[in-house]
Amino acid sequence: MPAVQETIDQVRQIDVDQYKYGFETVIESDTAPKGLTEDTIRLISAKKNEPDWMLEWRLDAFQRWLQMEEPSWARVDYPKIDFQDIHYYSAPKSTVGPKSLDEVDPELLRVYEKLGIPLREQEILAGVQTSKIAVDAVFDSVSVVTTFKKELAQAGVIFMSISEAMREHPDLVRKYLGTVVPVTDNYYATLNAAVFTDGSFVYVPKGVRCPMELSTYFRINEKNTGQFERTLIIAEEGAYVSYLEGCTAPQRDENQLHAAVVELIAMDDAEIKYSTVQNWYPGDKDGKGGIYNFVTKRGDCRGDRSKISWTQVETGSAITWKYPSCILRGDDSRGEFYSIAVSNGYQQIDSGTKMIHLGKNTSSRIISKGISAGHSSNTYRGQVSAHRKATNARNFTQCDSLLIGNDCGAHTVPYIEAKNSTAQFEHEATTSKISEDQLFYCLARGIPEEEAIALIVNGFVKEVIQELPMEFAVEAQKLIGISLEGSVG
Amino acid sequence: MNMQTKPPRTAAEQALLDSYAEMVGQLPGDARVTVARDRLLSAIAEKGLPTKRIESWHYTDLRAVLRAVPVKAGGSARAAEPLVRDALVCPVVQGQALMPRVPEGVELSPFMELLVSGEAAPLLSSRGADDLVGELNGAFVSDGYRLAIEAGRELDEILELQSVQAGGQAHTRFLAEIGAGAKATVVERHLGETSNAGLSSSVSTLDLGEGAEVTWILVQGAGEADQHLGQTIARLAAGATLKLFVINAGGKLVRREVHVDVAGEGAHFDLRCVNLLAGDSHTDVTMTLGHMVPETTSSEIVRNVVLDRARGVFQGQIRVAQVAQKTDAKMSCNTLLLSDEGEFAAKPELEIFADDVVCGHGATVIDINADHLFYLMARGVSEKTARALLVNGFVDELIDELEDEALVEPLRSLIEQWLVDHG
């Protein structure tokens, strides 16, 4: 059945007025001049008191980046980015790093409050929240505060901003940085390697199960700023860590650039669970403004029996270009990808995953749910490949798309490559609208249409939502509601 | 941003340009045709052969794999017996059409006539930047047939358009116009007689009038050293039905493109494709299917058997236009990968702009099911026979759908013969 007119109208009405994180905060900040040259990189490196090898690494990346071309294969369309019209460094002004929350700019704390970030440990400890989450908050380009450090240190877990880690644990950073996403991996990853300003660093030692969820909140605030953060998570043998990432940005007319790199490394028997709720500003109803989100996320199941699981809820950004991937190198390793991508307005999403089976008896599972509304375009692009020696590789992929309204597009582009006779790949994809039968079933039982659609959409994404940690699951469901308000209630 | 410098021409690229220079004097056509040919060739010269950086050639890096082939045949080719007994063979031998008699209601003329008169000039065009097959064929085409079946005619006789080659180059084109309400079964066969390395290109354009029903069986049985680049372009008017059945069982390098526009309401398209891949061959089946209007349906099933060091590719793209409400499209691609040195890559794409549609695709890659094998072997069937039975069953399902016994039998024996030869 065609979408009920009412629903279509309501979806159309959805404006970014709904974007409740679209506030701007006036905070004194220390911003590098616009433009990208070797000097910009030297400045970033100097600001962060980085070791020399790091500066070398950045400069090398920059030289390579100059030789590269912007990729054009994704199904996204945007005016050419002027990389010289961006601030590559912006930090909330402070002379010395804050020792405690009291020293943090109160304006900044109010921002986090608005975001609902459980920064204040005392509140958490006072039992306002039932579970503990350690938070690393990144504001524009730098990590502002990391909570629960002491408690984590007792367990042997290192959780700090990556610039801090570079100073305190240079050997660890040097050993692992760029080993999953090489410097020259792709255009945006190379740019990130040259100019990344901060991000989180997590190291979970052998046999340790990280005692709490770790979380990072990213927020772009300053005008014309690019945010280039870099996250590195290492789980040693038998370790376990669950990591959450949330993103917001204020409403602005100009497009802002976000090009992050996330590297995960899981050794023997280790497990990393990485969850993202991405809610960058998607632009207004005419497609003006919004974040360009060009992210490279990759996990390396380096050890035998290791496991990496990506869960993402994508509701924001004007453009999303993101493929969290798993390299299944260790024997019996496992990769998972669960995704909900909601697009509305003029949003463009080209997202998916790669499962590269290299080791023996590796398995992977992909569940992707795309919901398109308004004038948006929503593409799933995924690759599953089994190499010669990857005997008994197994993959199951399911990508379902739901279309709401008649001006949007839903696309599926899977690449399935088998080079081994023992590989067993199954892929299925469907595209449909909300089933008339399901809707009728609900309506016949006196459930109003809006609620019925909400119920059906919730059912559609349930398989992914249930993979999210509790706190995020609630937030994600709310976000999907906001993103599709009018059609899903 | 630095511009990428153009890579030097490969031997095959240079050889193609040279062979055009060598052949152009003898290629049929009036001035308009020559202009069209020149334009297509310059397009190839300008772009070079497609590489894997061109999305639609992602798994077939033609620049790396195409080999130079001399223009002249290495042996002498002769028309073969028809695939289906009593079918009327319309042969094209080494790029030259030999006119047979035709039944009532059918018009048949050599494509060369259209080239000579210049009528063919508008047909010698490119579908887009990635249309190497169309460009190559347009530049080099020497002959083929134009086939027209009058409106309302139900043909009892099966027609076989047969292109035979013994090495060298052959570039043919078939133009089929099926009148409204006509019914016909056509076999299109590409054969390579010897193991002389040959290069052939062929473009078949099928235009189905309202309510026309066509079963088109395309058998590619090129020689094991042959390179074949083929294209089937079909357009379906309202209520028309096209059942396209493709068997690939030969060739060293094969690219088979199928481009279909389901352009009239109530039209239906079926693709059934069996790829039997062995040796060091590389076979690529690439389909683009457009549902352009409301209320149309399509179904595609591709079954692949991969042995030895063979590499197979299936790319299938279904596009549903914004106005094409009520589209029902299903695509599946199943592969039996029987060798550790073989490869198969599948890229089933959906591109959907209408909301009231049911579209889906599935893709699997598996080995023979151990339980099934055990079941048969426990009943005293040798492993070899059991495997052959299971492989046969895997592809036979598609043959079965043809229903017409006259077609089922020869196709079944073609597949069985291939399995015996390569088992």
Side-chain angles (χ1 to χ4, degrees):
Chain A
M1 51 146 245
V4 182
Q5 193 53 43
E6 200 186 341
T7 310
I8 297 176
D9 291 343
Q10 272 163 327
V11 171
R12 199 168 290 142
Q13 279 163 18
I14 298 175
D15 194 346
V16 272
D17 298 340
Q18 313 284 354
Y19 188 72
K20 68 169 180 173
Y21 302 103
F23 54 87
E24 179 187 350
T25 314
V26 184
I27 289 181
E28 258 197 288
S29 63
D30 183 4
T31 304
K34 274 185 187 174
L36 181 55
T37 60
E38 286 208 357
D39 290 339
T40 324
I41 292 163
R42 285 178 200 283
L43 175 90
I44 293 171
S45 193
K47 286 262 182 208
K48 310 195 114 349
N49 293 324
E50 282 176 1
D52 290 344
W53 61 266
M54 199 58 229
L55 177 63
E56 290 300 314
W57 198 74
R58 285 174 182 277
L59 291 174
D60 178 49
F62 178 63
Q63 282 310 324
R64 286 162 182 262
W65 180 73
L66 290 174
Q67 309 295 322
M68 294 169 91
E69 275 183 74
E70 218 175 318
S72 60
W73 43 262
R75 182 183 277 283
V76 289
D77 185 27
Y78 54 93
K80 209 152 172 54
I81 299 171
D82 182 355
F83 288 94
Q84 296 304 334
D85 193 35
I86 297 172
H87 293 289
Y88 285 85
Y89 181 80
S90 172
K93 217 165 209 165
S94 67
T95 39
V96 252
K99 291 195 181 57
S100 74
L101 280 176
D102 298 336
E103 284 180 30
V104 175
D105 190 336
E107 195 67 23
L108 199 59
L109 286 180
R110 270 192 287 278
V111 173
Y112 288 123
E113 224 164 275
K114 283 192 220 170
L115 295 172
I117 304 171
L119 263 184
R120 291 197 165 271
E121 293 171 39
Q122 56 270 46
E123 280 185 13
I124 299 160
L125 292 170
V128 177
Q129 229 124 0
T130 43
S131 71
K132 281 198 252 174
I133 304 175
V135 179
D136 179 26
V138 178
F139 199 82
D140 281 337
S141 302
V142 291
S143 175
V144 177
V145 65
T146 309
T147 59
F148 280 112
K149 253 192 199 169
K150 221 182 285 167
E151 199 165 331
L152 286 168
Q154 271 167 15
V157 176
I158 302 171
F159 178 43
M160 54 179 60
S161 76
I162 200 156
S163 27
E164 234 177 311
M166 244 179 273
R167 292 190 294 266
E168 293 181 27
H169 306 279
D171 295 342
L172 276 180
V173 177
R174 198 170 181 177
K175 183 171 171 195
Y176 292 108
L177 191 71
T179 61
V180 185
V181 179
V183 172
T184 51
D185 190 77
N186 68 71
Y187 188 76
Y188 298 108
T190 309
L191 176 64
N192 177 286
V195 302
F196 77 88
T197 35
D198 220 330
S200 304
F201 175 80
V202 178
Y203 178 83
V204 189
K206 189 172 165 179
V208 172
R209 195 181 163 89
C210 186
M212 63 186 84
E213 308 264 357
L214 304 182
S215 171
T216 302
Y217 268 83
F218 295 108
R219 178 172 171 83
I220 301 180
N221 196 56
E222 202 63 23
K223 246 187 196 174
N224 297 322
T225 328
Q227 179 150 320
F228 306 92
E229 82 270 357
R230 195 158 185 122
T231 301
L232 177 59
I233 301 178
I234 302 135
E236 285 285 6
E237 197 183 325
Y240 168 87
V241 61
S242 166
Y243 185 90
L244 326 172
E245 176 200 274
C247 325
T248 62
Q251 259 168 267
R252 285 189 196 285
D253 282 352
E254 308 91 12
N255 296 101
Q256 282 172 285
L257 179 64
H258 173 250
V261 171
V262 175
E263 297 178 282
L264 311 183
I265 298 159
M267 308 309 267
D268 286 357
D269 298 296
E271 181 177 347
I272 301 176
K273 189 172 164 63
Y274 195 105
S275 315
T276 308
V277 172
Q278 185 265 110
N279 184 31
W280 299 113
Y281 176 51
D284 70 5
K285 64 176 193 306
D286 302 317
K288 202 167 181 214
I291 302 286
Y292 290 168
N293 191 25
F294 301 110
V295 175
T296 307
K297 291 185 168 180
R298 194 171 303 153
D300 188 355
C301 284
R302 213 165 273 186
D304 294 347
R305 297 166 302 282
S306 56
K307 179 178 167 185
I308 288 179
S309 168
W310 297 98
T311 307
Q312 61 171 21
V313 178
E314 301 280 320
T315 61
S317 294
I319 293 172
T320 304
W321 181 98
K322 178 179 174 185
Y323 314 90
S325 310
C326 295
I327 302 168
L328 304 169
R329 203 184 301 272
D331 292 348
D332 302 293
S333 60
R334 179 170 173 82
E336 290 175 354
F337 176 75
Y338 299 95
S339 167
I340 301 171
V342 185
S343 59
N344 200 351
Y346 283 86
Q347 279 177 272
Q348 303 175 54
I349 297 182
D350 194 305
S351 180
T353 184
K354 284 184 189 180
M355 293 291 173
I356 313 293
H357 294 258
L358 302 174
K360 294 182 174 55
N361 307 317
T362 50
S363 62
S364 60
R365 183 179 167 86
I366 299 170
I367 308 284
S368 167
K369 305 279 181 177
I371 303 171
S372 338
H375 296 268
S376 66
S377 155
N378 199 330
T379 305
Y380 167 84
R381 189 184 301 275
Q383 182 188 12
V384 176
S385 76
H387 284 244
R388 286 266 179 266
K389 287 177 182 161
T391 44
N392 297 319
R394 292 279 180 277
N395 166 266
F396 174 78
T397 302
Q398 187 184 339
C399 358
D400 298 324
S401 306
L402 194 66
L403 290 148
I404 301 176
N406 200 18
D407 292 315
C408 50
H411 318 296
T412 320
V413 192
Y415 298 72
I416 302 152
E417 302 163 7
K419 295 184 180 174
N420 188 296
S421 69
T422 53
Q424 194 167 322
F425 288 172
E426 288 167 78
H427 170 99
E428 53 183 71
T430 63
T431 303
S432 59
K433 61 186 303 151
I434 289 172
S435 139
E436 205 173 344
D437 293 349
Q438 288 173 1
L439 198 61
F440 177 77
Y441 183 93
C442 294
L443 292 176
R445 275 150 190 80
I447 301 170
E449 187 170 0
E450 283 293 294
E451 257 176 64
I453 292 175
L455 262 176
I456 294 165
V457 170
N458 265 325
F460 179 71
V461 299
K462 194 176 138 203
E463 274 173 282
V464 177
I465 292 278
Q466 68 193 14
E467 293 296 323
L468 283 168
M470 184 64 146
E471 299 78 5
F472 258 29
V474 177
E475 191 179 337
Q477 246 163 352
K478 272 193 216 154
L479 263 180
I480 294 168
I482 293 170
S483 297
L484 288 173
E485 206 145 65
S487 59
V488 277
Chain B
M1 213 60 24
N2 288 15
M3 289 294 293
Q4 285 226 317
T5 46
K6 217 171 139 188
R9 281 203 180 116
T10 62
E13 282 172 338
Q14 193 53 52
L16 268 184
L17 303 182
D18 292 347
S19 51
Y20 185 71
E22 180 185 338
M23 287 163 85
V24 70
Q26 296 129 48
L27 288 172
D30 74 342
R32 282 175 294 166
V33 164
T34 310
V35 168
R37 288 182 191 278
D38 286 347
R39 201 174 42 231
L40 294 174
L41 194 89
S42 343
I44 299 172
E46 177 60 31
K47 292 179 293 192
L49 292 171
T51 66
K52 61 182 175 188
R53 297 185 75 89
I54 309 282
E55 185 61 29
S56 57
W57 292 85
H58 186 72
Y59 292 107
T60 301
D61 192 330
L62 203 63
R63 188 169 189 274
V65 293
L66 193 76
R67 294 286 165 258
V69 169
V71 173
K72 290 226 163 18
S76 69
R78 241 174 313 145
E81 286 297 306
L83 179 74
V84 182
R85 193 211 302 251
D86 299 332
L88 173 71
V89 178
C90 314
V92 182
V93 178
Q94 209 71 39
Q96 305 293 319
L98 313 170
M99 283 292 296
R101 55 137 207 110
V102 285
E104 215 179 318
V106 177
E107 269 182 58
L108 189 75
S109 52
F111 189 76
M112 180 159 59
E113 284 178 9
L114 276 75
L115 289 166
V116 171
S117 71
E119 264 181 273
L123 302 174
L124 307 185
S125 59
S126 171
R127 293 174 56 86
D130 59 349
D131 187 18
L132 184 272
V133 180
E135 288 163 0
L136 180 76
N137 182 271
F140 287 87
V141 60
S142 58
D143 208 345
Y145 290 104
R146 173 178 168 269
L147 164 74
I149 299 172
E150 68 177 14
R153 173 68 62 174
E154 293 187 21
L155 272 191
D156 293 327
E157 207 166 349
I158 293 173
L159 299 177
E160 177 170 322
L161 304 170
Q162 189 187 89
S163 173
V164 228
Q165 185 187 5
Q169 292 190 24
H171 305 276
T172 52
R173 202 168 266 236
F174 300 119
L175 209 56
E177 290 148 25
I178 319 293
K183 284 185 187 168
T185 299
V186 178
V187 177
E188 177 187 339
R189 238 167 130 199
H190 297 272
L191 300 173
E193 259 197 347
T194 68
S195 56
N196 281 315
L199 170 66
S200 60
S201 77
S202 85
V203 172
S204 303
T205 309
L206 284 55
D207 199 344
L208 273 66
E210 279 185 25
E213 285 178 32
V214 174
T215 302
W216 191 280
I217 297 173
L218 205 166
V219 179
Q220 182 275 115
E224 59 186 40
D226 287 346
Q227 305 176 93
H228 176 74
L229 306 171
Q231 201 172 60
T232 305
I233 301 166
R235 193 169 184 284
L236 279 63
T241 300
L242 172 63
K243 292 184 177 172
L244 177 62
F245 196 102
V246 180
I247 294 189
N248 278 309
K252 162 93 175 142
L253 167 67
V254 175
R255 165 88 167 188
R256 164 56 51 188
E257 294 180 8
V258 175
H259 302 292
V260 180
D261 275 350
V262 184
E265 285 188 25
H268 176 78
F269 171 68
D270 265 342
L271 172 70
R272 297 293 178 268
C273 178
V274 174
N275 294 313
L276 304 172
L277 315 177
D280 288 309
S281 64
H282 177 106
T283 305
D284 172 337
V285 174
T286 293
M287 179 197 79
T288 64
L289 166 62
H291 285 271
M292 320 302 285
V293 294
E295 312 261 2
T296 59
T297 52
S298 73
S299 140
E300 299 78 39
I301 305 179
V302 180
R303 294 272 160 96
N304 314 294
V305 178
V306 183
L307 307 174
D308 308 331
R309 292 160 306 281
R311 271 179 301 161
V313 177
F314 172 68
Q315 306 187 94
Q317 184 192 59
I318 300 179
R319 280 173 286 126
V320 179
Q322 196 176 354
V323 294
Q325 299 291 359
K326 308 277 180 206
T327 293
D328 185 333
K330 291 183 192 73
M331 168 162 66
S332 75
C333 172
N334 313 107
T335 304
L336 264 186
L337 185 50
L338 301 175
S339 154
D340 276 343
E341 291 169 299
E343 285 179 34
F344 200 88
K347 190 175 80 173
E349 269 181 78
L350 293 174
E351 196 179 309
I352 295 169
F353 293 99
D355 66 338
D356 189 12
V357 298
V358 183
C359 293
H361 64 69
T364 58
V365 181
I366 46 166
D367 196 353
I368 283 178
N369 186 313
D371 293 345
H372 296 173
L373 201 60
F374 178 78
Y375 180 92
L376 288 170
M377 288 170 71
R379 274 149 190 83
V381 181
S382 75
E383 184 177 345
K384 195 177 171 191
T385 315
R387 291 182 85 92
L389 272 172
L390 291 168
V391 173
N392 209 347
F394 175 72
V395 291
D396 196 54
E397 245 179 294
L398 302 194
I399 309 281
D400 243 4
E401 276 187 40
L402 282 168
E403 286 171 356
D404 185 351
E405 272 306 306
L407 296 173
V408 170
E409 277 315 311
L411 289 175
R412 200 168 264 166
S413 55
L414 188 152
I415 289 169
E416 275 166 16
Q417 190 56 48
W418 188 90
L419 290 172
V420 168
D421 292 348
H422 297 89

